[in-house]
Amino acid sequence: MILDAQPGIRVVGVAGDGVECVELARRLRPDVVLVDIRMPRLDGLEVTRVLAGERNGGEDGPNVVVITTFDQDDYVRDALRYGACGFLLKDASPALLVEAVRAAARGDALVSPAITVRLLGELQRGGPRGERYADGAAAGLSARETEIMRLVAVGRTNQEISEELFLSLSSVKTYLARIQAKIGARNRVEVAAWAWENGVVTSRPG
């Protein structure tokens, strides 16, 4: 009801379990799929793996937004690796839900700030997979790009970054696109994960 009431958004299908979700997604070809981590028959993690894997394999698959709770952080980390492009808490406001769907439809990503800080902080504490780039310069990032990456990593939206750094919204988007290209990230979720894993950010600002 919330999504159908929004201009430019149409709910084309509702699935009762994970298997039906995959089947409907393949048949109806939606731009975005919302999945719960815990679903009957096939959980949200496997649905994400299947649908995001098809998209990354060159098929016209949907972008997947995962609904989660704090006690499921390990599942969310796996969903990130499988290609989910957004994460919301189950108690997210209607406005945040709508914003997440619109972001996913654009190929962008939206993550509840609380999830970003807690989840990606766990990634940082778990250690990087490769060489650490404490200031971002060794990865080819400018000082401004590193600054924006740090803000993305602690859950700031593009609008908040724009206001904090006195940049236009279009400039923030341009910088973010450059950052993604330089580190090989598909969306802001992967930018944030890269920042935490490589030591570009190590704590949440006060």
Side-chain angles (χ1 to χ4, degrees):
M1 291 174 59
I2 293 170
L3 294 175
D4 261 336
Q6 300 301 313
I9 295 179
R10 183 164 64 96
V11 177
V12 296
V14 179
D17 58 60
V19 171
E20 185 182 5
C21 180
V22 172
E23 292 172 350
L24 282 176
R26 287 171 170 169
R27 178 162 55 87
L28 300 174
R29 317 305 288 179
D31 296 311
V32 179
V33 170
L34 291 173
V35 302
D36 193 332
I37 284 289
R38 294 178 180 173
M39 296 191 295
R41 297 177 70 194
L42 195 67
D43 65 29
L45 185 62
E46 283 302 304
V47 171
T48 300
R49 183 184 64 80
V50 171
L51 295 181
E54 290 177 353
R55 185 184 70 247
N56 295 334
E59 298 184 32
D60 187 22
N63 287 316
V64 181
V65 176
V66 176
I67 310 296
T68 185
T69 58
F70 272 144
D71 62 352
Q72 296 168 327
D73 282 349
D74 54 336
Y75 294 112
V76 179
R77 284 192 292 272
D78 286 339
L80 173 60
R81 285 191 285 268
Y82 286 152
C85 76
F87 302 97
L88 289 177
L89 293 175
K90 287 186 176 180
D91 61 357
S93 68
L96 192 61
L97 173 64
V98 171
E99 189 178 350
V101 170
R102 293 193 187 283
R106 296 192 302 266
D108 201 349
L110 183 145
V111 183
S112 294
I115 295 180
T116 302
V117 173
R118 177 168 171 169
L119 166 64
L120 298 177
E122 288 296 323
L123 286 176
Q124 191 274 335
R125 286 190 290 276
R129 287 193 294 266
E131 183 181 1
R132 298 175 72 86
Y133 306 113
D135 62 0
L141 301 177
S142 68
R144 178 64 86 183
E145 288 166 348
T146 301
E147 188 175 23
I148 289 174
M149 173 183 278
R150 285 180 177 136
L151 292 173
V152 168
V154 296
R156 298 288 197 274
T157 65
N158 285 356
Q159 184 62 49
E160 290 169 336
I161 294 171
S162 170
E163 294 169 358
E164 187 164 337
L165 299 183
F166 303 102
L167 294 169
S168 68
L169 192 57
S170 61
S171 293
V172 173
K173 292 178 179 178
T174 298
Y175 276 119
L176 188 55
R178 290 175 184 168
I179 292 167
Q180 290 176 203
K182 288 181 178 181
I183 66 173
R186 292 169 295 183
N187 52 52
R188 71 189 302 114
V189 179
E190 293 188 358
V191 169
W194 191 97
W196 283 99
E197 290 184 313
N198 290 280
V200 173
V201 61
T202 57
S203 63
R204 184 177 183 174

